[in-house]
Amino acid sequence: MPSTDAAEDLGLLSPGQAGSPVETATGDAAYVRAMLDAEAALTRAQAALGLAPAAAAQAVTAAAAETARYDVRDLALRARSGGNPVIPLVADLTAAVAEHDRQAAAHVHRGATSQDILDTAAMLVAARALEPVLADLRRAAGALARLAAEHRDTPIAGRTLTQHAVPTTFGLKTAGWRSLVLDAHERLAAVWAGLPAQLGGAAGTLAAFHAFAEADGSTADPDPDPDTGPDLGLRLLARYAAETGLAEPTLPWHTLRTPVADLAGALAFTAGALGKLAADVLLMSRTEIGELGESSGGGSSAMPHKANPVRATLIAAAARQVPALAAVLYAGLAAEDERPAGAWHAEWQPLRQALRLVGGAARDAAELTEGLRVHPNPMRDNLDATDGLVISERIASVLAALIGRGEARQALAQASRRVVEQGMGLHEALQQEPGIVGALPRDRLRELTDPTQYAGSAGALVDRALRRSDTARNPI
């Protein structure tokens, strides 16, 4: 049935992220699921240390698993009174536990603060969202490796400042795209592995957990972990991290926002790396260039003949948005006191949107690279578009050694003018320069003006780039 909620965001204006695994993994329901997971993990961690009955951990975990009973819209509306959705969720979770075990209900959210739960949930959401992103980056890297090997020596015009510069190869360009994709994968994988749980209590001291233990007369695990020592708070933090599956932080990070900033940086880098690939594809697939094409171009509402490079377009759109979102997340580093007003709240939507944009871009990059159509004939035609002037750097260096730098520059300038004004090829124009003809045999001159013979170390660079381990061999 069509949605009846006029305020619901179903991705109409976000085609890049629509339908992607990351969109689902970062939805409101996913955040509620993560907050419930965080609450259940906290009670289990306390039970493991003797700070709560085992029955309470079982009851809270069971109630948290019943996600359908928690109304997301109702939670959102009730969140306005306290400024975050954890407060109404804790009330609903407590009521759900009490229906089956009134004593267990006292152990819901015990000792924690709202930010502990929402920060932990955000890290859980990020961890779950990054898994398909990393998988799509591996797909793109594999496709680009195949393209680079296949087109190791396929000549194209290198372009600098939008103009033809010197020849290069499509294999080298593709190897460069792959290098950026691998760099993005490495950065995201490193961040993914270190996403931490959050637990500090009201002001980051874990004091409430000590207070509850004293009030209950709890001995709290008589055989402490040698890695954490005898301190109750440290042992609880370690156990809580283990229960969530996240990394254990050295300190509570309520206003020490390194985890969010690192994630923001990796997401911005990934968007930019994929944006470079998209920018080149968009340029090379222009009608008048025609060197590349997407496997299934998008249509136009007005022009039936068009096959638009839609995937590259959506990637380019994401690349322009994520850096601005990252800037908001970096600003959170300047949070005040032990818990901030506004700085933390400002992170929620930008983080989710950055994850979604990168998730959509990674999906589109995998599909784009796996279906990319390469057109070597237009590549060669474009390389010849300047009638040999693209090779002038090589001619200048060879002539300088034979007839002197000044004379070589003058002769090449005159020949280049004839190419432009009379439409002749550079090889023909050079033969009209007596000083050049006398210095170079015709066969040598023809060889020097062949653009396919001036790729430098392009092939060797491709080979070296492809020796870099494919991330598919090192999955997360």
Side-chain angles (χ1 to χ4, degrees):
M1 285 182 64
S3 172
T4 58
D5 186 348
E8 191 170 3
D9 182 357
L10 299 177
L12 183 66
L13 302 182
S14 308
Q17 70 193 38
S20 71
V22 177
E23 182 184 48
T24 301
T26 56
D28 283 351
Y31 268 87
V32 171
R33 168 75 274 164
M35 287 187 285
L36 290 168
D37 289 342
E39 291 287 1
L42 177 59
T43 310
R44 291 197 304 272
Q46 293 184 71
L49 270 63
L51 301 175
Q58 294 170 1
V60 174
T61 299
E66 298 175 6
T67 54
R69 70 178 295 155
Y70 303 96
D71 187 318
V72 176
R73 180 62 174 171
D74 180 61
L75 289 171
L77 294 173
R78 290 158 59 204
R80 286 187 51 77
S81 63
N84 74 74
V86 176
I87 297 171
L89 182 64
V90 167
D92 290 356
L93 178 59
T94 302
V97 173
E99 290 178 7
H100 302 284
D101 187 338
R102 295 187 63 84
Q103 290 184 331
H107 293 277
V108 174
H109 196 70
R110 199 181 196 204
T113 192
S114 295
Q115 191 172 352
D116 290 332
I117 300 305
L118 193 47
D119 275 348
T120 299
M123 296 298 99
L124 286 171
V125 166
R128 294 163 182 171
L130 288 181
E131 291 187 20
V133 173
L134 291 167
D136 283 335
L137 291 177
R138 291 195 294 273
R139 284 175 56 198
L144 291 171
R146 292 188 291 274
L147 284 171
E150 180 181 355
H151 294 282
R152 176 186 185 274
D153 302 310
T154 300
I156 60 171
R159 298 175 174 95
T160 63
L161 296 166
T162 76
Q163 306 298 299
H164 282 201
V166 296
T168 182
T169 71
F170 183 61
L172 183 57
K173 181 178 284 289
T174 308
W177 295 343
R178 176 178 179 266
S179 177
L180 283 174
V181 170
L182 292 177
D183 289 344
H185 186 280
E186 287 182 0
R187 284 160 174 76
L188 279 180
V191 169
W192 176 87
L195 292 173
Q198 173 75 283
L199 189 65
T205 65
L206 298 161
F209 300 107
H210 291 269
F212 281 119
E214 292 171 4
D216 294 343
S218 172
T219 56
D221 188 6
D223 186 20
D225 188 324
D227 292 333
T228 58
D231 185 83
L232 172 64
L234 297 185
R235 285 185 282 136
L236 180 60
L237 180 57
R239 184 69 189 206
Y240 178 59
E243 290 289 343
T244 63
L246 295 169
E248 179 188 350
T250 301
L251 297 171
W253 45 280
H254 295 140
T255 51
L256 308 175
R257 306 307 283 176
T258 301
V260 176
D262 283 347
L263 179 55
L267 290 170
F269 181 93
T270 301
L274 298 179
K276 159 60 178 171
L277 184 161
D280 283 346
V281 171
L282 289 170
L283 171 68
M284 297 172 73
S285 61
R286 288 176 181 268
T287 303
E288 62 272 24
I289 295 177
E291 296 173 346
L292 296 176
E294 292 193 8
S295 58
S296 56
S300 165
S301 63
M303 295 165 284
H305 68 281
K306 294 191 72 179
N308 296 322
V310 173
R311 291 184 181 87
T313 297
L314 295 176
I315 295 169
R320 284 163 171 76
Q321 296 175 75
V322 179
L325 296 169
V328 176
L329 297 174
Y330 272 113
L333 287 167
E336 73 282 0
D337 300 326
E338 280 61 56
R339 303 251 326 281
W344 170 53
H345 306 71
E347 293 174 351
W348 304 342
Q349 284 284 51
L351 178 58
R352 168 158 65 181
Q353 189 60 13
L355 285 167
R356 288 182 161 185
L357 286 166
V358 170
R363 175 191 60 177
D364 288 333
E367 294 177 357
L368 170 63
T369 54
E370 288 178 341
L372 193 64
R373 295 182 297 175
V374 182
H375 306 305
N377 290 336
M379 288 178 176
R380 179 56 200 265
D381 291 343
N382 291 331
L383 184 60
D384 293 335
T386 58
D387 295 314
L389 292 180
V390 73
I391 209 72
S392 61
E393 178 187 68
R394 184 185 194 190
I395 301 297
S397 62
V398 172
L399 288 177
L402 295 173
I403 62 176
R405 185 174 181 180
E407 290 78 0
R409 181 184 295 274
Q410 181 178 0
L412 188 55
Q414 293 174 171
S416 297
R417 278 196 297 272
R418 278 195 291 275
V419 171
V420 174
E421 295 170 1
Q422 301 177 29
M424 64 177 62
L426 182 61
H427 175 261
E428 181 183 357
L430 289 172
Q431 291 185 53
Q432 298 183 21
E433 292 295 322
I436 294 178
V437 173
L440 283 172
R442 287 178 178 268
D443 290 345
R444 175 60 173 156
L445 189 57
R446 186 177 299 279
E447 175 191 345
L448 289 174
T449 53
D450 181 357
T452 67
Q453 301 302 310
Y454 192 55
S457 298
L461 289 168
V462 171
D463 295 340
R464 181 163 71 174
L466 291 180
R467 287 195 291 271
R468 180 177 177 182
S469 296
D470 192 322
T471 53
R473 300 176 186 174
N474 300 290
I476 60 172

